[in-house]
Amino acid sequence: MTEKVKLARYRNTSYFVGYTGDGANKQYTWTGSKNGKVDVKEVPRELVDWLTMSSVCFDKGELVLIEENEESKEITDSINDVETYVNNTHTKEEIEAMIKSSTAAQLKKQLTEITVEAEKQFVIDVASEFSDDIAKGKLTVLADWMGVEDSSILFD
């Protein structure tokens, strides 16, 4: 039996992988997180190895290894840019906590580590759900980070 690895999609948009393994074309689709529920798929280890070598889905945080074991550590070590992977794979809950519990200065520092556009948009999507409760200073930090001059149009 082939080894299985659990991969999750933290972002709220779908993600598709087409893989030709064992001579058959297989398709995997993650629908994205909805209502706080993360979409998790158990996939063959060969697919994960192929994704690591042939794509940037881990580097860009599109898919996330969710098990903490020796196998996932080995896979993580094979990712080209582990720092980018770690900095661009946040759950909805982690983003909420980052925005709610940080000062504006702390938030600014944390946001500078996020470099992938899709992750930036995910942060804004999550923040839009409770934008009325975000302090003006933090809204300004978010707007500056996204390159928007006026924080009032940040969630439009």
Side-chain angles (χ1 to χ4, degrees), residues 82-148:
V82 176
E83 185 177 345
T84 301
Y85 167 74
V86 171
N87 291 339
N88 291 283
T89 53
H90 298 89
T91 64
K92 178 181 178 185
E93 292 77 17
E94 289 170 337
I95 292 169
E96 286 176 2
M98 179 192 325
I99 294 169
K100 290 178 178 178
S101 65
S102 301
T103 65
Q106 291 169 329
L107 180 60
K108 184 175 184 176
K109 182 183 181 318
Q110 291 170 323
L111 292 175
T112 60
E113 295 175 353
I114 298 173
T115 56
V116 175
E117 287 303 315
E119 185 76 356
K120 288 181 175 186
Q121 189 55 54
F122 184 45
V123 169
I124 297 304
D125 290 347
V126 171
S128 71
E129 295 176 13
F130 58 95
S131 61
D132 293 341
D133 300 329
I134 301 174
K136 176 82 170 115
K138 291 181 185 180
L139 286 174
T140 301
V141 167
L142 285 167
D144 289 346
W145 176 63
M146 288 300 290
V148 176

Side-chain angles (χ1 to χ4, degrees), residues 40-109:
V40 178
K41 300 263 185 278
E42 195 171 67
V43 300
R45 169 67 191 258
E46 294 80 30
L47 171 65
V48 176
D49 292 340
W50 179 79
L51 288 169
T52 303
M53 293 183 291
S54 305
S55 77
V56 292
C57 78
F58 293 116
D59 296 341
K60 302 265 184 200
E62 301 292 350
L63 296 173
V64 181
L65 295 157
I66 60 167
E67 293 179 314
E68 294 292 328
N69 57 31
E70 198 59 40
E71 183 180 9
S72 65
K73 182 179 177 348
E74 179 185 314
I75 295 167
T76 302
D77 289 344
S78 70
I79 295 172
N80 289 333
D81 191 347
V82 176
E83 185 177 345
T84 301
Y85 167 74
V86 171
N87 291 339
N88 291 283
T89 53
H90 298 89
T91 64
K92 178 181 178 185
E93 292 77 17
E94 289 170 337
I95 292 169
E96 286 176 2
M98 179 192 325
I99 294 169
K100 290 178 178 178
S101 65
S102 301
T103 65
Q106 291 169 329
L107 180 60
K108 184 175 184 176
K109 182 183 181 318

Side-chain angles (χ1 to χ4, degrees), residues 131 136 139-140 143 148-156:
S131 61
K136 176 82 170 115
L139 286 174
T140 301
V148 176
E149 290 184 30
D150 184 1
S151 63
S152 66
I153 62 170
L154 187 60
F155 304 114
D156 290 342

